[in-house]
Amino acid sequence: MIDPDDTLDALREALAVSPENVVLRRQVVKLLLLRSRQSDAEQVLKEGLRQAPQSESLKLALAECFYAQAKYSEATVVIEELLQRPDAAAQARLLYARLLLRQG
């Protein structure tokens, strides 16, 4: 049986070799979030945004990560930036609705 931590370690090593790989970075973040390691996921996302500052996928993931950590103000800032685009992802709109509900 494959150890999930071994998988995460292998993906992190691959990410170190290919830091600009957004898809790989999202997979690492997904595994970190599944293990309730939100602060680690946040750091991986911030590193990714330094590599690809215009990545909407990474920005949305960062907003979701902030939301999971109850950092609602930070999540709102990121989501509002994403919603400036007329073709904003449905996930961004849904998260924004959740944030508005949380903030009353």
Side-chain angles (χ1 to χ4, degrees):
M1 181 173 201
I2 298 174
D3 182 3
D5 287 330
D6 289 344
T7 302
L8 180 58
D9 291 341
L11 289 175
R12 289 188 103 165
E13 286 177 27
L15 190 57
V17 173
S18 183
E20 72 287 343
N21 188 330
V22 173
V23 175
L24 179 57
R25 188 170 297 278
R26 284 289 310 239
Q27 288 302 314
V28 170
V29 167
K30 184 178 177 181
L31 288 174
L32 288 169
L33 291 175
L34 285 173
R35 286 164 181 71
S36 297
R37 293 173 54 185
Q38 289 88 356
S39 61
D40 291 339
E42 179 182 339
Q43 291 307 311
V44 170
L45 288 164
K46 286 180 176 179
E47 291 169 18
L49 284 167
R50 283 191 283 279
Q51 296 284 330
Q54 299 305 317
S55 172
E56 292 180 28
S57 173
L58 292 179
K59 288 179 183 179
L60 179 56
L62 181 61
E64 291 169 343
C65 187
F66 283 150
Y67 183 83
Q69 296 177 78
K71 295 181 177 180
Y72 303 127
S73 295
E74 292 93 331
T76 300
V77 169
V78 175
I79 285 295
E80 286 179 344
E81 178 186 339
L82 290 173
L83 292 178
Q84 295 297 315
R85 297 181 49 93
D87 60 340
Q91 286 177 290
R93 295 181 191 284
L94 180 60
L95 182 55
Y96 189 57
R98 288 182 182 146
L99 285 164
L100 291 176
L101 184 62
R102 285 277 182 191
Q103 296 173 359

